Amino acid sequence: MQNQINNSDEISLSQVADKVKGVFNSINDAFFNLIQFIIRNIIIIVALIVVGVGLGTYLDSDNETFSHKIIVMPNFKSVNYLYEEVNRINAKLKEKDYEYLEKIGITDADNIAKIEIEAIVDIYEFIDDNGGVAENDSKFQLFKLISENGDMNKMLEDNTTSKYYKNHVITITTKGRATQKNLIDPLLTHLENNDYFKSMQKTFYSNLEMTIATNDSISNQIDAVIRAYSSSSGVASSNLVALNEKTSINDLLRTKQSLAETKSYYNTKRIENSKVIKDNGILLNTKVTKLSSSSKVILPLLFLFLFIVIYNFRKYYKNEINKRKAAANI
């Protein structure tokens, strides 16, 4: 009985070994057949690859996709308006409402695939922006709230949070190249054309010029006081630093320095707020490469696949013909 069990185990192991050996032999035969197939048809295979790459390159050149980026800074709390307007234009593109797009000055709208906007995440610039003590304090408190949250990266890139950042990037994807005159300038002109924010800009500049004039007047008065004190004290103008010993003069000097820093800040704001949507950088015609959808990759593979299918079909057909001939001769 024990001998029968042992013999049965040996037979089972022998059958498994034979099956494994058969699998490896099949793989070896398939690999060798592939090598023979390539050697016999090497010229045809190389020709199909060359023709496929050449034709794919030609087709890709007629269907190239480019991206264009505009770095913008929305002023006068116009960030929500900016996002809504960009999303509206993108929706019109999806609807193929080219009449609306041409009305706002965007020509060749059928060549525009999409338009998107996102914030440039810069939390340090967000906190350090010299917008006044109260504003900085509120920004710092917001940053503390974000940092205390478990998923900080998600909070920083969240749409609600991201709208607080200073700079944003508009990305436009087009079929083929574009020019700033035909694509970027009309879009910026349209975004700028808002009566409410234009009136806000006008009021801002009026207040700004008034504040700068007042600061200049105060600064001139401080200079006059210092000159008068210098003359009455018999101190040379080159040695005014000695006046720091006097508390009142020291306070005046600090005030003058503060006024100078404020004026420098306002001059920067004058440049930044020269537009409702201030463009700070434009990058045109960056080629978008999509390897997975590239014709010069797909076509060679397609040609090789069709050749293999046709080759095997002919081989199958010949084998069947030979079988029937052999059966007829029996």
Side-chain angles (χ1 to χ4, degrees):
M1 182 69 178
Q2 185 67 33
N3 291 335
Q4 289 178 349
I5 294 174
N6 291 336
N7 290 337
S8 177
D9 291 340
E10 290 177 0
I11 292 172
S12 299
L13 291 173
S14 176
Q15 289 174 345
V16 171
D18 289 339
K19 289 182 179 180
V20 171
K21 185 177 179 180
V23 170
F24 279 106
N25 287 336
S26 298
I27 294 174
N28 181 68
D29 291 341
F31 182 70
F32 182 74
N33 290 336
L34 176 62
I35 294 174
Q36 283 189 316
F37 172 79
I38 294 174
I39 293 173
R40 285 197 301 266
N41 302 281
I42 186 65
I43 296 176
I44 297 175
I45 291 173
V46 172
L48 289 174
I49 292 174
V50 171
V51 171
V53 171
L55 182 59
T57 301
Y58 172 76
L59 293 175
D60 285 342
S61 65
D62 286 345
N63 193 29
E64 291 179 330
T65 303
F66 293 87
S67 73
H68 320 274
K69 296 184 182 295
I70 317 170
I71 298 175
V72 296
M73 181 173 61
N75 296 310
F76 317 113
K77 299 182 180 180
S78 62
V79 63
N80 288 324
Y81 156 74
L82 173 62
Y83 272 72
E84 289 296 330
E85 199 60 34
V86 169
N87 291 334
R88 178 185 302 175
I89 293 173
N90 195 48
K92 294 296 183 180
L93 286 170
K94 291 180 179 179
E95 297 169 5
K96 296 184 178 181
D97 189 353
Y98 301 137
E99 183 179 350
Y100 169 82
L101 296 170
E102 289 180 2
K103 188 183 297 183
I104 64 175
I106 301 176
T107 57
D108 299 328
D110 54 329
N111 291 328
I112 303 176
K114 61 181 176 178
I115 178 171
E116 300 170 307
I117 184 169
E118 61 180 352
I120 298 177
V121 178
D122 191 344
I123 191 67
Y124 301 104
E125 182 185 50
F126 170 71
I127 295 176
D128 292 339
D129 182 33
N130 187 17
V133 177
E135 184 179 353
N136 281 342
D137 183 64
S138 63
K139 288 180 177 181
F140 182 72
Q141 293 301 323
L142 177 60
F143 178 70
K144 283 181 62 178
L145 177 64
I146 292 173
S147 62
E148 289 170 1
N149 188 283
D151 195 349
M152 186 174 181
N153 289 332
K154 185 177 179 181
M155 283 288 292
L156 290 175
E157 296 177 2
D158 181 76
N159 285 336
T160 304
T161 307
S162 65
K163 289 182 180 180
Y164 285 98
Y165 296 122
K166 189 174 183 179
N167 292 301
H168 305 257
V169 58
I170 300 173
T171 303
I172 308 172
T173 305
T174 62
K175 301 170 186 175
R177 295 180 180 273
T179 63
Q180 180 173 335
K181 181 180 179 181
N182 293 334
L183 179 66
I184 306 300
D185 291 347
L187 174 63
L188 292 175
T189 300
H190 169 67
L191 294 175
E192 193 73 11
N193 188 23
N194 183 286
D195 293 337
Y196 171 76
F197 292 111
K198 294 292 282 185
S199 64
M200 291 287 290
Q201 182 187 34
K202 186 177 180 180
T203 302
F204 168 82
Y205 268 97
S206 176
N207 294 336
L208 182 66
E209 297 301 330
M210 186 185 303
T211 303
I212 291 176
T214 302
N215 286 358
D216 288 342
S217 176
I218 296 172
S219 180
N220 292 334
Q221 291 177 34
I222 291 174
D223 290 340
V225 171
I226 293 175
R227 283 195 299 269
Y229 182 87
S230 176
S231 299
S232 63
S233 301
V235 180
S237 60
S238 60
N239 296 321
L240 280 179
V241 68
L243 297 177
N244 287 333
E245 296 175 1
K246 303 296 183 178
T247 304
S248 59
I249 298 300
N250 190 43
D251 290 341
L252 287 176
L253 290 173
R254 276 201 294 264
T255 302
K256 181 175 175 59
Q257 181 181 2
S258 176
L259 290 172
E261 292 173 353
T262 302
K263 184 175 181 179
S264 176
Y265 170 75
Y266 284 152
N267 285 333
T268 301
K269 283 296 180 182
R270 178 186 285 162
I271 297 173
E272 290 180 347
N273 292 273
S274 59
K275 292 182 179 180
V276 174
I277 308 296
K278 181 73 169 65
D279 53 301
N280 295 331
I282 297 172
L283 182 62
L284 286 171
N285 297 316
T286 301
K287 189 174 181 180
V288 178
T289 303
K290 295 182 179 179
L291 186 61
S292 60
S293 60
S294 176
S295 298
K296 58 179 169 284
V297 175
I298 294 175
L299 287 182
L301 295 177
L302 178 62
F303 288 166
L304 288 175
F305 173 76
L306 292 176
F307 173 66
I308 292 171
V309 170
I310 294 172
Y311 177 86
N312 284 296
F313 177 78
R314 289 183 63 189
K315 186 177 179 180
Y316 165 79
Y317 184 78
K318 287 180 179 179
N319 288 338
E320 291 299 318
I321 291 294
N322 291 333
K323 284 181 183 179
R324 281 160 177 72
K325 287 181 179 179
N329 292 330
I330 294 176

